[in-house]
């Protein structure tokens, strides 16, 4: 049996819940509080990492109902009664003694409180909400805002700092509030469709059936809709999209095809539905899938991806195991869409690519093309973001706009060297694959890169050329170069030069490429000289205006090597003329190391053949 | 002057064309057996034997001077003979009458005939003829093995009957000498799309061994090796495509009746094989061609499939029998994709043309040829098929081009030749490495230096992406 979900290997451990030890969990800071004897014998706070772990003592002033740190562990809030919340400073050098804030609405009971920043929090009472700022130095609170409204229960999403209140008698009208640095804004309310409308009206929407989550950066309210005899026989999860502005809309319905007790999690942007009759059902957003795994009934589920066993003293993060999931989707395009959105996706994506290339069935190229296009789309978006970041940094800070943020390179960015190392290079070396298919795949990758206007890196061209040469497909190579599919570069031109002995036209192709580069004039001269085309080299360097700077010795060496005396004469005289023009004298400078050639010239043609220095 | 008194010009024409093997029919009285093919066929037997004998004698005689390189051609006042031995003891001979001018004389005397010797009809024609022959029939040796002399004679008859009709000697010029390939200019992305198309078709129809892709009678991709592609290209552009485009031009048998495959409209159709797939009587027979492999030759079916201006040639081993099923599959797969590609290419082409601006009549015209990849390019020819050759310059200038080309052929070194023609035109020939460029300039008052500068400028603008030595 394949498992698609797993608990993290290193759970957070805490002292298990008992009669003397109460355990609390704060979703905002992901901290577990173990409160022994009301705090008198110690409070141990364990967070996701050691930094957020704290231990302290506090006076036992009654049973703790709720305990939470403000963001950054600056201030601790403890609720012990229905009327008030107590505060303790954790800022160094500030008075440590507790202070209390009572709720301002008369006869109201405090249902709970939520921190919205390091020093701001909101009280939720059955009659409304009160938004406060804590003044730690003055050990008092200042009310920022309040709102009267009947509240049945509430949910808070710490990532977005949005508070959701259940109102009306049935409880299915939800009123969200958004908090941001000292301000509180009312968002538009919405109604959850109940499976049955009870008569007479009574509270029908339980807080257990509502969860808030951010999926792909968007806020959603998830509703676990239980079956009723009258309509759909199985339960479903209904997703409501809650935009910052505008109206909340029902967007997705995930059919669970079963009944029973459920709990929800969000793991890596996937909606996980726990089926508590000893199964875990996993539902991907858009892609419903179910499978079984062992499940303990003593676990509590917290958002977005936390499972706590208070009796055992463990806090786990839920993780998606990606490798087994690749077999769940036959459509490789959809599979890529799914994988590209997962956190730890790179190696899985690369192995899927290899796997596609391995299969023997026909019609793989269109699939390969689709997959490459999907990968390169994400790759291109990252490159563009990186580019505009660099441009913004270079142009310096502009007034009014925030400092540019460096784009995050997620694992979904699969670049050319990833593909080369993990997929393409091993693929070209595999035995028994037709070279036709190898070349088709490489060309498909190059096509896809070009389509997204991504500059192809040299090592890919090298791989193409290596494969073509290995199978003697020189004419193919020739045609690719003719249509500039393999873009010009010095390394490529040199690679072509090295092929000349096996494929003569490579010489011409290489020279053409060097010419087009227009920065490779020295290389062209070297190539021509090595071919003993001394006059050609001389004419060329003259045509590009580099005649004055070339080494005369190099040319004379080459001319002498040809054994053609007239050629040597011509080249020699041409450089004498150059010297005359540049320095007013036909002689060579000592630095040019042409002495032996002068001797050789005199031997062949006599002193009188030298151009004489003109007398002034 | 009265019309009867005008000069009459005669274009070059094919007098004889024959194939023989001197090792056959060596006994006295059996000389006819040496002759495998003779054109025209209605020539009297003894004359055939005489002409073949003469060729044999010339070849034998010249061998005494150079055993490894026997004579290639014999020029006389009235005609030229070309000898070519593609395989041991198999000879192809072509006899061409020189072009001539008949000048009428006064007083009823018979007209004076002037033969013009220096027209360009290159010995290469016999080579190309052989290669085309070989493309469709394999080597002489192979045919002899397959069915003896009888089969060979039969095959030659069948082949030349059609082929000699496509041999239009009067319209032969420099481009025929090169036997090059015109490549369709295309941007990288569209080219990659074509690659992708070819690869996909070859992957899903794995019977296909090689594919070639052409647009507007110009090559874009060849899966065949260069030498084979050169001959196939020659056949496609001078024989197959013109045969199919002429009814299109005349409006008959309009191909622009889209086929509906699935829910995609497409304009694909077979140029070889079945003309109508829906015809229950349709035959699924395709021409067979021979291409070189590492160890000899292989025989292939040639499927030519066209949608609008895009043509794809698919080659499949001749040992496989092609069925209706396969053709329908190919039609369904290729038709829609090729139609789409054809309109893509067309669009790209017009975009590029618009960018490069309206075509102005430039001050020069040129022919370019690269021996390395056989690429040719001409702004002299407006339209070139085997039968029609529309050039925009005077035949005298074309003749000069031919002469320069002959000079180039004699030396290996890079060269440049500048000629001032009688008609105030300048003709420049340049040879750099494997490339040849011929330019005709219409600047009557220019001097040599200016012409040289002008050609340099032309190279810098038209050929800036290749390495051309000055």
């Amino acid at each position: 049996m394949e498992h698609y979900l797993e608990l993290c290997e290193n759970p957070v451990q805490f002292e298990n819940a008992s009669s003397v030890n109460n355990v609390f969990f704060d979703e905002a800071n992901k901290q577990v509080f173990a409160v022994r004897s009301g705090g008198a014998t110690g409070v141990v706070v364990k967070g996701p990492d050691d930094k957020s772990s704290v231990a302290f003592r506090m006076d036992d002033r009654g049973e703790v109902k709720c305990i939470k740190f403000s963001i950054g562990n600056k201030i601790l809030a403890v609720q012990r009664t229905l009327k008030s919340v107590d505060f303790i400073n954790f800022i160094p050098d500030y008075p440590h003694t507790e202070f209390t804030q009572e709720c301002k609405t008369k006869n109201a009971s405090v249902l709970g409180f939520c921190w919205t920043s390091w020093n701001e929090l909101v009280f939720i009472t059955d009659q409304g909400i009160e938004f406060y700022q804590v003044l730690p130095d003055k050990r008092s609170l200042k009310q920022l805002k309040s709102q009267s409204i009947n509240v049945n229960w509430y949910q808070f999403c710490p990532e977005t700092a949005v508070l959701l209140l259940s109102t009306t008698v049935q409880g299915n009208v939800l009123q969200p509030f958004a908090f941001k640095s000292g301000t509180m804004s009312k968002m538009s309310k919405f109604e959850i469709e109940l499976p049955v409308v009870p008569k007479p009206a009574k509270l029908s929407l339980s807080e257990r059936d509502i969860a808030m989550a951010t999926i792909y950066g968007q806020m959603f309210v998830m509703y676990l809709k239980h079956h009723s005899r009258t309509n759909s026989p199985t339960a479903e999860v209904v997703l409501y999209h809650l935009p910052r502005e505008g109206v909340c809309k029902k967007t997705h319905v995930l059919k669970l095809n079963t009944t029973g007790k459920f709990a929800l999690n969000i793991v890596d942007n996937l909606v996980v539905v726990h089926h508590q009759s000893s199964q875990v059902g996993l539902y991907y957003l858009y892609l419903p899938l179910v499978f079984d795994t062992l499940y303990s009934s003593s676990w509590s589920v917290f958002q977005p991806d936390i499972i706590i066993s208070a009796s055992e003293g463990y806090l786990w993060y839920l993780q998606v195991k990606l490798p087994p999931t690749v077999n769940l989707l036959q459509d490789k395009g959809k599979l890529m869409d799914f994988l590209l959105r997962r956190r730890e996706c790179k190696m899985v994506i690369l192995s899927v690519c290899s796997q596609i290339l391995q299969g023997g069935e026909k019609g793989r190229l269109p699939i390969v093309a689709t997959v490459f296009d999907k990968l390169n789309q994400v790759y291109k978006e990252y490159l563009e973001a990186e580019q505009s970041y660099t441009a913004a940094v270079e142009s310096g800070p502009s007034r009014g706009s925030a400092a540019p943020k460096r784009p995050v390179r997620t694992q979904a960015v699969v670049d050319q060297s990833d593909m080369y190392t993990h997929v393409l290079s091993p693929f070209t070396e595999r035995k028994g694959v037709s070279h036709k298919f190898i070349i088709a795949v490489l060309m498909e990758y190059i096509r896809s890169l070009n389509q997204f206007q991504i500059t192809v890196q040299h090592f890919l061209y090298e791989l193409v050329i290596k494969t073509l040469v290995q199978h003697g497909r020189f004419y193919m190579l020739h045609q690719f170069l003719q249509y500039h599919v393999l873009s010009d570069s010095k390394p490529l031109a040199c690679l072509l030069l090295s092929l000349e002995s096996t494929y003569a036209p490579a010489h011409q192709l290489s020279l053409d490429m060097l010419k087009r580069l227009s920065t490779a004039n020295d290389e062209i001269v070297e190539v021509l000289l090595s071919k003993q085309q001394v006059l050609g080299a001389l004419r060329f360097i003259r045509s590009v205006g580099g005649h004055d700077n070339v080494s005369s010795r190099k040319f004379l060496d080459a001319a002498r090597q040809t054994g053609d005396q007239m050629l040597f004469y011509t080249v020699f005289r041409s450089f004498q003329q150059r010297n005359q023009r540049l320095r007013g004298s036909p002689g060579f400078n000592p630095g040019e190391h042409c002495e032996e050639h002068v001797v050789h010239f005199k031997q062949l043609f006599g002193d009188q053949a030298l151009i004489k220095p003109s007398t002034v | 002057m009265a019309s009867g008194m005008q000069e009459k010009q005669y274009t070059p024409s094919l007098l004889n064309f024959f194939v023989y093997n001197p090792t056959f029919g060596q006994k006295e009285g059996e000389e006819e057996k040496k002759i495998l093919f003779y054109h025209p066929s209605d020539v009297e037997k003894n004359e055939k034997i005489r002409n073949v004998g003469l060729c044999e004698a010339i070849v034998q005689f010249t061998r005494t001077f150079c055993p490894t390189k026997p004579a290639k051609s014999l020029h006389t006042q009235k005609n030229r003979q070309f000898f070519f031995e593609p395989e041991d003891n198999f000879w192809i001979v072509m006899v061409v009458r020189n072009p001539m001018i008949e000048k009428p004389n006064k007083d009823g005397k018979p007209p004076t005939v002037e033969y013009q010797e220096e027209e360009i009809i290159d010995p290469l024609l016999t080579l190309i003829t052989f290669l085309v022959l070989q493309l469709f029939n394999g080597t002489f040796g192979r045919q002899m093995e397959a069915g003896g002399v009888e089969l060979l004679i039969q095959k030659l008859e069948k082949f030349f009957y059609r082929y000699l009709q496509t041999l239009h000697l009067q319209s032969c010029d420099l481009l025929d000498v090169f036997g090059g390939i015109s490549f369709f200019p295309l941007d990288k992305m569209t080219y990659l799309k074509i690659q992708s198309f070819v690869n996909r078709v070859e992957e899903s129809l794995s019977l296909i061994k090689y594919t070639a892709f052409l647009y507007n009678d110009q090559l874009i991709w060849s899966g065949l090796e260069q030498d084979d592609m050169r001959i196939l290209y020659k056949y496609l552009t001078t024989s197959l495509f013109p045969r199919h485009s002429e009814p299109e031009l005349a409006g008959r048998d309009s191909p622009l009746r889209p086929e509906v495959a699935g829910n995609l409209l497409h304009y694909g159709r077979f140029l070889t094989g079945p003309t109508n797939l829906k015809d229950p009587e349709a035959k699924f027979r395709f021409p067979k061609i021979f291409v070189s492999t590492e160890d000899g030759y292989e025989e292939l079916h040639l499927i030519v499939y066209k949608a609008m201006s895009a043509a794809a040639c698919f080659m499949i081993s001749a040992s496989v029998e092609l069925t209706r099923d396969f053709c329908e599959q190919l039609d369904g797969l290729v038709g829609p994709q090729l139609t789409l590609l054809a309109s893509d290419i067309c669009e790209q082409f017009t975009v590029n043309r618009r960018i490069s601006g309206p075509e102005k009549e430039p001050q020069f015209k040129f022919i370019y040829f690269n021996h390395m990849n056989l690429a040719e390019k001409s702004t002299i020819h407006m339209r070139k098929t085997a039968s029609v050759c529309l050039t925009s310059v005077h035949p005298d200038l074309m003749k000069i081009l031919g002469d320069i080309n002959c000079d180039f052929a004699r030396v290996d070194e890079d060269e440049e030749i500048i000629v001032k023609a009688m008609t105030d035109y300048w003709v420049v020939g340049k040879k750099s490495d494997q490339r040849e460029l011929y330019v005709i300039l219409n600047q009557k008052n220019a001097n040599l230096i200016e012409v040289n500068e002008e050609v340099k400028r032309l190279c810098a603008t038209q050929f800036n992406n290749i390495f051309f030595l000055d």
Side-chain angles (χ1 to χ4, degrees), chain A residues 364-365 369 436 440 444 450 473 475-476 478-479 482-485 487 505 508 512 515-516 539, chain B residues 183-184 188 191 196 200 202-203 209 219 221-224 226 370 372-373 435 465-467 470:
Chain A
R364 270 176 301 163
L365 277 177
K436 232 179 177 178
E444 205 55 66
N450 272 290
R473 306 311 301 260
Y475 190 46
M476 270 193 186
H478 200 134
Q479 294 182 73
Q482 206 170 309
Y483 280 95
H484 306 288
V485 166
S487 306
Q508 193 191 64
D512 288 351
K515 160 84 187 302
R516 286 192 295 270
R539 282 203 204 105
Chain B
F183 286 91
F184 187 80
K188 190 202 289 188
Y191 184 81
S196 194
R200 282 174 191 206
E202 287 189 1
E203 198 218 1
K209 273 192 105 164
L219 186 66
W221 167 252
S222 162
L224 283 182
Q226 179 169 287
N370 184 356
M372 205 62 108
N373 60 358
R435 294 175 161 121
N465 56 350
I466 58 170
F467 184 79
D470 285 318

Side-chain angles (χ1 to χ4, degrees), chain A residues 227-274:
Chain A
H227 78 109
S228 69
R229 275 174 222 286
T230 45
N231 46 45
S232 110
T234 59
E236 52 196 30
V237 176
V238 186
L239 296 186
Y240 292 81
H241 179 219
L242 186 57
R244 283 262 161 205
E245 273 153 34
V247 191
C248 179
K249 270 197 198 124
K250 179 167 146 180
T251 52
H252 302 82
V253 176
L254 313 178
K255 299 236 181 256
L256 302 184
N257 294 325
T258 178
T259 58
K261 257 180 101 184
F262 300 99
L264 296 171
N265 264 148
I266 300 293
V267 184
D268 207 359
N269 292 311
L270 297 170
V271 179
V272 174
V273 184
H274 303 279

